[in-house]
Amino acid sequence: MSPIHDQSISALSAALQAGEFSARELTEHYLGRIEQFNGPINAYISVTAKLALTAAEQADERLAAGHAGPLTGIPIAHKDIFCTNGVKTSCGSRMLDNFVAPYDATVVERLQAAGMPMLGKTNMDEFAMGSSNETSFYGPVRNPWDMERVPGGSSGGSAAAVAAGLCVAATGTDTGGSIRQPAAFCGVTGIKPTYGRCSRWGMIAFASSLDQAGVFARSAADAALVLQAMAGFDERDSTSANAPVPDYATQLDDSIDGLRIGLPKEYFGAGLDPGVATSVEAAIKEYEALGASVHEISLPNAPLSVPVYYVVAPAECSSNLARFDGVRYGHRCESAQDLEDLYKRSRGEGFGTEVKRRIMIGTYVLSAGYYDAYYLKAQQLRHLISDDFRRAFEQVDVIMGPTTPSTAFALGAKANDPVAMYLNDIYTIATNLAGLPGLSIPVAPADGMPVGLQLIGDVFQEGRLLNIAHRLQQATDWHRMAPRLTLA
Ligand code: GLN
């Protein structure tokens, strides 16, 4: 039998129900692996061993009483952007290094109610701004496949933790690619649902019209189970969708015979690494063998998504991050002279370079003299980008392409070149601007590094995306590959 941390959630759940091991033993297994391997990977900012063991014991009681659900006793990690009651919630920033959340985010609360012990909080780019996890106050995360490379970002800790078997699944958030891009770099499955599918309550806001919570797991089938428990209306988040959540697990085995796959020509042009292209094309061939047909489509405005995003997202971030003022919570400078000094030094000391850059861009594009030229224009283009997808989904059922233009790059390679860093999300950002669901699954590696295939669906089609991903994972073994780890 393969090691515990290579097994699916349903296999682990069956073993728990059969009493092969207890939830406590399973949680101890993962805590042991974190102890052994997390040091150099740096996937966790906080490890909450005591809380995890208490939750695992409660799960064991539920199991013994016959009240267990499919996730009872399955250990999870949460991105440190989600508020966790009584536990440090840093958002990867010095600003919140001293912040202990007084409540749980809805997503956390729901996964807890499903019986999933929380192992800890995962590392991330500061305030989810980044594509490499190098902007974290807690230091970079290293890619478990090659410790000299980045894991992607901003949810790099969650992706690396799942890839290294330091948790069964993990939550993440995706504003412009922060679930799909690290999932691709670390060789795991990652899904960003439709905007509004999961509550944003208690999820520290970056760009409110784009932010969405999702899942990292070892397979689409595992992700389906976790998403099921997270998704759904929350009256505390006015943008959460008041629409029923279908049963994702029962959809997984649906036929994909006759599936129409759209390949956007803009996603296969210049800038795409040939090794990544080859792996993506091989996966699409598999889909054809499974009965799908392939159609070239065009998303003519997609190439504008990066510039549009870097107006809209900073604008929203400049507003959202105004709350960190040194008064109510978070970092406060020493011996402030007056209120202005308190604001300036608290924010100056608390935020890192990338966050400051975004706040400045955002404030600029929203200012009276530049609003029409930048912010308004970006909003207009955002509409055109959405319209491109609407037209595409009149012709095809799903859009596929690479998740990223290259495999994981070296630590430090783009750290001083913001534009090169921003271009990592060239294939993922349009999805957020249009509010659509997107998923990344591992396909054949290129030069030994994982490659992600991206699937984009129409609104609320996450069940179909998981089904399409699952069918490929039943026919291939790419998602079963795991990195060889070195001891901490
Ligand atoms: N890499 C993008 C950024 O830096 C997206 C981040 C995200 O999705 N949170 O903003």
Side-chain angles (χ1 to χ4, degrees):
M1 203 169 72
S2 58
I4 282 190
H5 48 271
D6 282 351
Q7 291 184 36
S8 67
I9 292 183
S10 53
L12 291 172
S13 182
L16 286 169
Q17 311 247 6
E20 284 169 33
F21 43 78
S22 67
R24 192 189 160 95
E25 285 165 336
L26 185 59
T27 296
E28 281 170 346
H29 172 78
Y30 279 96
L31 290 170
R33 286 185 62 81
I34 293 171
E35 180 107 330
Q36 269 188 304
F37 300 113
N38 185 56
I41 300 175
N42 199 24
Y44 283 87
I45 290 174
S46 308
V47 178
T48 51
K50 246 178 137 163
L51 284 174
L53 292 171
T54 306
E57 280 161 14
Q58 287 164 357
D60 279 326
E61 285 166 24
R62 264 170 85 172
L63 283 154
H67 295 149
L71 297 172
T72 306
I74 307 292
I76 192 165
H78 292 303
K79 186 176 182 181
D80 210 16
I81 198 169
F82 291 100
C83 286
T84 40
N85 192 8
V87 174
K88 171 167 145 175
T89 300
S90 74
C91 220
S93 182
R94 181 181 183 200
M95 182 57 92
L96 290 177
D97 184 45
N98 63 4
F99 178 64
V100 174
Y103 62 94
D104 283 319
T106 298
V107 157
V108 168
E109 190 181 272
R110 289 187 179 175
L111 293 172
Q112 232 157 47
M116 300 190 88
M118 172 178 81
L119 295 166
K121 306 290 295 290
T122 57
N123 204 345
M124 55 181 284
D125 279 300
E126 185 179 12
F127 283 101
M129 299 175 199
S131 305
S132 66
N133 225 114
E134 292 167 298
T135 73
S136 170
F137 175 59
Y138 302 93
V141 175
R142 288 169 182 270
N143 191 315
W145 290 88
D146 176 348
M147 302 291 271
E148 297 311 314
R149 301 200 199 204
V150 304
S154 66
S155 316
S158 289
V162 172
L166 307 184
C167 58
V168 181
T171 53
T173 61
D174 190 312
T175 303
S178 281
I179 290 176
R180 291 159 288 156
Q181 186 254 16
F185 280 9
C186 292
V188 299
T189 298
I191 180 164
K192 174 206 106 69
T194 307
Y195 181 76
R197 181 80 288 186
C198 294
S199 169
R200 291 187 297 111
W201 197 77
M203 190 174 111
I204 296 172
F206 161 14
S208 308
S209 76
L210 301 161
D211 297 343
Q212 183 55 207
V215 188
F216 292 91
R218 305 181 77 80
S219 67
D222 282 5
L225 290 170
V226 179
L227 184 62
Q228 192 76 48
M230 285 165 67
F233 178 62
D234 176 10
E235 60 182 16
R236 294 174 296 192
D237 171 8
S238 61
T239 60
S240 80
N242 196 348
V245 181
D247 187 345
Y248 299 132
T250 57
Q251 261 178 282
L252 284 176
D253 291 316
D254 285 358
S255 166
I256 58 165
D257 196 30
L259 180 79
R260 295 169 304 168
I261 299 175
L263 304 180
K265 60 172 194 266
E266 294 78 9
Y267 283 33
F268 290 89
L272 177 61
D273 175 88
V276 171
T278 305
S279 299
V280 165
E281 282 154 13
I284 289 164
K285 282 263 171 315
E286 283 288 335
Y287 273 114
E288 289 185 292
L290 293 168
S293 60
V294 168
H295 309 264
E296 187 184 272
I297 58 162
S298 176
L299 300 170
N301 295 292
L304 297 173
S305 60
V306 171
V308 168
Y309 174 89
Y310 280 98
V311 173
V312 174
E316 294 186 20
C317 111
S318 72
S319 163
N320 275 325
L321 271 56
R323 73 190 68 179
F324 303 106
D325 56 6
V327 178
R328 286 163 293 188
Y329 37 67
H331 177 74
R332 178 182 292 182
C333 67
E334 295 283 340
S335 44
Q337 302 302 304
D338 53 31
L339 190 61
E340 196 172 313
D341 182 45
L342 172 80
Y343 288 159
K344 278 189 180 158
R345 283 201 290 124
S346 300
R347 287 169 69 79
E349 293 163 8
F351 291 136
T353 312
E354 183 60 25
V355 172
K356 286 179 187 157
R357 176 166 24 241
R358 307 264 181 125
I359 292 173
M360 285 191 287
I361 295 171
T363 314
Y364 182 84
V365 299
L366 288 175
S367 61
Y370 298 102
Y371 181 92
D372 287 352
Y374 295 107
Y375 188 71
L376 189 68
K377 182 103 325 99
Q379 292 291 19
Q380 288 163 340
L381 288 169
R382 187 172 178 180
H383 264 281
L384 295 180
I385 291 167
S386 290
D387 288 346
D388 285 355
F389 281 111
R390 200 178 34 74
R391 268 192 297 273
F393 285 121
E394 286 166 5
Q395 301 163 41
V396 297
D397 306 306
V398 63
I399 294 173
M400 289 191 194
T403 307
T404 56
S406 71
T407 57
F409 47 89
L411 280 155
K414 301 185 183 182
N416 298 318
D417 185 348
V419 175
M421 190 68 91
Y422 297 169
L423 285 171
N424 262 288
D425 297 315
I426 184 98
Y427 303 137
T428 49
I429 282 181
T431 315
N432 299 74
L433 291 168
L436 300 174
L439 183 154
S440 181
I441 45 174
V443 293
D447 285 334
M449 289 306 289
V451 172
L453 172 73
Q454 183 176 209
L455 281 59
I456 302 170
D458 207 348
V459 278
F460 297 121
Q461 292 295 305
E462 32 285 291
R464 186 68 169 143
L465 291 184
L466 289 162
N467 154 234
I468 298 167
H470 177 67
R471 297 304 298 227
L472 186 76
Q473 292 183 337
Q474 280 181 315
T476 59
D477 273 334
W478 293 317
H479 64 295
R480 290 187 213 284
M481 294 177 318
R484 247 193 300 271
L485 300 181
T486 40
L487 287 176

